[in-house]
Amino acid sequence: MKKNRKPSLCHCINLRIVSKNITNIYDDFLKPTTLNVTQYSLLANLKRVGPIKMSDFSKVARLDRTTLVRNLKPLISSGLIELNDISKSNAKLLILSQKGTELTTLAQNYWEDAQNFIEENIGLQNLNQFYEIVEKIENLSTKEEQKNDKRAK
């Protein structure tokens, strides 16, 4: 069991630590599938919306294209995702393979176990408060973004 530690004075460090801890929990639950939580998330999202163009999928996955491509490579190499050319276009179409569909279905049970574990240990009320805070944090703008917004007006 981890020792009770006091949060850092730095908000960024606290968020990174929390993110790492949650990621480790999901990865631990998903271990029997050989997927990590990032890979599972990509497969589950592709199962939900696919087939889809890579550029559109980057919006669904909420990842920039470079990060998305880097994270997709092992999934494509292992035959979980197929990458097809779209005729008369440079775009690529992502398709969840049969193998990918089967693994995603299996992994969903482990992912749900992780979800339940977190809910049981943190509590739904606390999680709902957390999601409100997450939304506020996601909507914060940097000074540079604020400058760009003013210029656009």
Side-chain angles (χ1 to χ4, degrees):
M1 181 165 211
K2 292 183 181 183
K3 295 179 184 177
N4 285 335
R5 295 186 180 121
K6 294 197 184 268
S8 168
L9 295 175
C10 176
H11 305 308
C12 184
I13 295 300
N14 289 325
L15 289 169
R16 286 175 180 250
I17 290 168
V18 167
S19 176
K20 182 180 179 216
N21 286 348
I22 292 293
T23 298
N24 289 342
I25 289 169
Y26 280 94
D27 287 351
D28 189 50
F29 274 89
L30 287 165
K31 233 178 225 168
T33 69
T34 70
L35 296 173
N36 64 40
V37 70
T38 302
Q39 293 168 329
Y40 170 75
S41 177
L42 290 172
L43 293 172
N45 276 305
L46 185 55
K47 182 178 179 183
R48 183 174 55 83
V49 301
I52 188 171
K53 285 193 267 181
M54 177 106 49
S55 57
D56 293 334
F57 191 59
S58 69
K59 293 174 188 142
V60 170
R62 298 176 74 184
L63 296 171
D64 64 73
R65 189 171 160 74
T66 304
T67 302
L68 177 63
V69 169
R70 184 178 60 248
N71 284 302
L72 287 174
K73 279 183 181 179
L75 300 173
I76 293 167
S77 296
S78 61
L80 300 172
I81 294 176
E82 297 170 4
L83 195 58
N84 292 354
D85 291 326
I86 298 174
S87 62
K88 299 180 184 176
S89 170
N90 287 333
K92 302 285 185 187
L93 192 67
L94 296 169
I95 301 168
L96 192 61
S97 70
Q98 183 62 37
K99 180 180 174 184
T101 301
E102 291 168 5
L103 185 57
T104 304
T105 301
L106 170 68
Q108 182 176 353
N109 295 321
Y110 294 103
W111 177 84
E112 287 173 0
D113 290 344
Q115 288 277 104
N116 292 332
F117 175 82
I118 291 166
E119 286 175 12
E120 289 168 9
N121 284 279
I122 295 176
L124 281 176
Q125 184 177 359
N126 288 331
L127 283 171
N128 288 332
Q129 286 180 309
F130 172 72
Y131 293 136
E132 288 177 26
I133 294 167
V134 166
E135 185 176 353
K136 288 178 183 179
I137 292 170
E138 284 189 15
N139 289 315
L140 287 176
S141 298
T142 64
K143 287 182 181 181
E144 191 63 32
E145 290 169 333
Q146 290 171 4
K147 283 181 197 176
N148 292 338
D149 287 345
K150 287 179 184 175
R151 283 187 215 138
K153 290 180 182 177

